[in-house]
Each structure stands twice: as structure tokens, then as C-alpha cells.
Amino acid sequence: MFQVNWDLGSAPPKRQEPKENKKRKSQSEKAKSETPKNKESKAQQSSIKKQKQEGNGKEKPVTENKQSSAQQGDKKLANENSLTSLQQKMKGKLDGAKFRWINEQLYTTQSEDAVKLFRDSPDMFDVYHAGFRHQIENWPENPVDVFIRFLKERYDKKKRSVSVVDLGCGEAKIASTFEASKHIMVRSFDLVSANRFIEAADISNLPLEDGTVDVAIFCLSLMGTNWQSFLREAYRVLKPQTGQLWVAEIKSRFSDKSGKVFAEELPKMGFENTSLALGNKMFTLFEFVKKPRSQEPQSLPPILSACIYKRR
Ligand SMILES: C[S@@+](CC[C@H](N)C(=O)[O-])C[C@H]1O[C@@H](n2cnc3c(N)ncnc32)[C@H](O)[C@@H]1O
């Protein structure tokens, strides 16, 4: 159902080369049969015709006959260069369209649909992440770097051990940063095991024991219409009383455009807000701690909407 043939209807238009080549060939055959004198007189005629036309304000004619082969070569090279840049531009547009399409699927469907989508076409993961990198390259800061800083300062430098799960880890930057750390143990989960750090799993159903994790991170990964089930799953795997939930989300996704409402609502799921950083213009950072729950977690109102990127 989700198999996508990227080539369908999106392939760049075919180059008109055969026709061009044919034209060039017939011109060169014609040129071969002409004497230099003939050529010169033709060029002169062409030039006179051109001047007349320019005088009449008409469009500049194509007067290839009067060009030297070096000039023709230069022109061909220029044509090829312009075709290449055109193709590059088209490729950029096509990649952007693919990224936006995948992004929309991830935000507007249940995670089980996302699992099927990436299982059927795992190459979409790279397409998505190339587009995602492009999207955030102009952000003043990448939230994943903030979480890396937190981990360095609070655990690595203080030689305190911590077990971390990076949920919806993308390219697993956190795990690769702390690969050699003696104190920070990271497990990274995403839909595709695109590199050696990533374990493929739906983050609404983690292959982890109850109450075993110190820090659960969702960095821009509360995607999927069932994002509340991701939070319930994080609650399950976090250690009682001390387990921490760190979340970074795009400001524009929140119903109040800041995220304060998110911090206020999460106690209904058993998370108490301990820190809220609203300073960054693109995203808000939250820290929560797991609290005992006397009842089943309540559903939250629709406080988080999809992040749909517009065509640029
Ligand atoms: C916007 S990217 C952010 C990646 C990374 N956390 C970062 O900040 O660089 C969100 C990631 O969440 C993943 N994701 C979304 N829904 C998921 C699910 N149900 N299970 C696992 N990963 C999921 C996507 O595949 C994507 O890699």
C-alpha cells in the first residue's frame, strides 16, 4: 500500500538530445560539403540578415554557421554545464518533494503505518534525513546538540553513570558522540536500522524492560498521530521516581505556539515538569521526571499538531 515508485511522474524531462544531435549532424555534414569561401559568404549573408533583423527589433537569430569549431565547442560545453545545473536544480526540487511527502506521512498517520512505509522502502530513511538536515541547517542551534551538552555536563564530566534511550534517534548522533564514554550508555531506536547504532523499533512498543532507563529523549520525534502512546511507553521503561523525560519539539506545533500547555498537560500522564526552556526561536526544550501514577494515564487534548513543511 505504501510502496512508492519515486520515478513515477517525477522523473526529470528527457533531454532533447537526439533531435539536437540530428540537427548538429546535418549541419556538420552540410558544412563538410561547403568550401571555406562558401562558408564565408554564407556567414556574411547571415550577418547582414542578422543586422537587418536587429534593426527591425526582431529576436536574435541563431547563426551557428559563422562560428568557429572552437566557439561551437565552447557553446556545447556551456550547454552541457547549464543542463547539469538545471538537472541539479530539478534533483533538488525532487528530493525536497520526496522529503515533504515522507514527513507528512510520518506526522499524519499512526506509527504502525510509518513502520510499514519504511519497511517497504527503507531507502526513504536516507531521503528523509537528507531533507531534514537541509531543513535545520539554518536553525541557530540543533536541539540534539543541546541534549549532548546536557549529557556531557551532567554525567560524563561528573563521571556519573546513566542509561539513555534516544527515541526516534534519526542518525543516532547522541549514541555516536558517546560511543567511547565510560559513563553514558545510549540505546537508539528508530524505524530503520540505518547505521550500527540504531535499533529498528516502533517507539510506541520498545523492546525494553519496565523501569530500567534513566533518561528517555524525544528530540523532534513525537511524530505520528499516536504520539501519546510514545510517552506512555517512555513512562513504562523509565525508572520509578528518578527516570527523566527530555523532549524537544518545534514551537509552531504547539496549540499555544510555545509549549507551556504541553508542560502543563503532561502531569496527566505521570510526568512532572522540572524545566522549560522557551528561549530558542525554533524549538522548546522540556525536562520532566517520572512520578508515581495512582490511575491510568489520561488522554491529552489536541495540543500538538503536525509539522508540515511548505514548498520553498
Ligand atoms: C525529525 S526526526 C529527528 C531525529 C533525531 N532525533 C534528531 O533530532 O536529529 C524524527 C525521527 O523520528 C523517527 N520516528 C518517527 N516515528 C517513529 C516511530 N513510531 N518509531 C520509531 N521512530 C520514529 C523518524 O523516523 C525520524 O528519524
Side-chain angles (χ1 to χ4, degrees):
M1 181 188 171
F2 285 103
Q3 191 101 36
V4 178
N5 181 354
W6 293 123
D7 297 333
L8 276 185
S10 51
K14 281 181 192 155
R15 292 173 62 177
Q16 297 296 315
E17 241 173 21
K19 208 171 157 193
E20 289 281 303
N21 285 348
K22 225 166 129 187
K23 196 173 157 196
R24 258 186 238 130
K25 205 174 157 194
S26 75
Q27 280 169 352
S28 75
E29 272 164 9
K30 212 170 160 194
K32 265 187 218 161
S33 68
E34 284 171 347
T35 62
K37 203 179 161 193
N38 280 346
K39 267 198 208 172
E40 197 182 68
S41 64
K42 271 203 171 246
Q44 281 165 351
Q45 283 167 18
S46 168
S47 165
I48 292 163
K49 202 175 161 192
K50 184 184 145 205
Q51 281 165 17
K52 277 185 185 168
Q53 282 173 333
E54 276 174 349
N56 291 340
K58 288 188 184 164
E59 238 176 76
K60 205 175 164 188
V62 180
T63 52
E64 268 187 349
N65 283 353
K66 71 177 175 135
Q67 288 179 331
S68 70
S69 60
Q71 281 171 322
Q72 284 182 11
D74 286 346
K75 195 172 175 193
K76 194 173 163 220
L77 198 66
N79 279 345
E80 276 167 9
N81 283 342
S82 75
L83 264 180
T84 306
S85 69
L86 180 68
Q87 284 174 328
Q88 273 171 3
K89 206 171 154 192
M90 291 184 78
K91 188 179 176 301
K93 284 186 181 233
L94 190 58
D95 288 346
K98 288 178 190 173
F99 162 73
R100 286 191 298 277
W101 186 86
I102 301 167
N103 184 66
E104 193 166 333
Q105 301 309 304
L106 292 173
Y107 276 114
T108 57
T109 61
Q110 296 267 325
S111 61
E112 62 187 80
D113 296 325
V115 169
K116 281 187 209 138
L117 176 72
F118 278 70
R119 190 183 55 209
D120 292 347
S121 309
D123 55 315
M124 277 192 199
F125 189 87
D126 292 335
V127 176
Y128 177 78
H129 279 284
F132 176 68
R133 276 197 302 274
H134 184 62
Q135 283 294 331
I136 61 167
E137 67 194 11
N138 294 324
W139 288 17
E141 189 161 38
N142 184 342
V144 89
D145 293 329
V146 180
F147 288 144
I148 288 171
R149 212 166 51 232
F150 284 180
L151 288 168
K152 270 188 190 153
E153 285 163 7
R154 299 177 190 181
Y155 299 97
D156 229 17
K157 283 187 189 162
K158 293 183 177 166
K159 300 189 186 344
R160 288 173 62 200
S161 292
V162 66
S163 61
V164 179
V165 287
D166 185 5
L167 305 174
C169 63
E171 293 171 313
K173 190 171 178 188
I174 299 177
S176 61
T177 302
F178 294 110
E179 187 181 13
S181 168
K182 289 191 186 106
H183 312 286
I184 301 176
M185 258 59 71
V186 187
R187 285 184 71 178
S188 311
F189 298 93
D190 208 297
L191 295 162
V192 176
S193 176
N195 65 40
R196 69 196 164 89
F197 298 105
I198 309 171
E199 300 176 52
D202 178 353
I203 53 177
S204 69
N205 183 20
L206 292 166
L208 297 170
E209 298 291 318
D210 292 1
T212 51
V213 172
D214 291 309
V215 179
I217 299 177
F218 290 99
C219 187
L220 311 179
S221 56
L222 293 176
M223 304 175 107
T225 51
N226 60 323
W227 57 268
Q228 294 190 34
S229 66
F230 302 177
L231 295 175
R232 282 195 288 273
E233 188 63 345
Y235 187 92
R236 181 185 71 76
V237 302
L238 281 170
K239 289 181 181 170
Q241 308 285 350
T242 57
Q244 297 174 55
L245 174 72
W246 296 356
V247 178
E249 263 312 334
I250 298 171
K251 276 195 158 74
S252 59
R253 291 192 66 195
F254 295 108
S255 54
D256 63 351
K257 304 296 172 216
S258 72
K260 281 184 194 158
V261 63
F262 184 78
E264 284 160 14
E265 288 289 337
L266 247 62
K268 291 180 183 167
M269 302 195 91
F271 293 110
E272 186 183 292
N273 185 231
T274 53
S275 163
L276 176 65
L278 299 162
N280 190 288
K281 75 171 186 185
M282 296 307 292
F283 57 84
T284 300
L285 286 180
F286 307 84
E287 290 178 62
F288 301 90
V289 67
K290 177 176 169 174
K291 288 286 166 196
R293 257 183 346 210
S294 53
Q295 57 186 55
E296 279 302 291
Q298 295 167 44
S299 289
L300 306 184
I303 50 173
L304 201 56
S305 59
C307 169
I308 306 294
Y309 294 100
K310 289 193 189 103
R311 207 176 145 204
R312 287 205 255 186

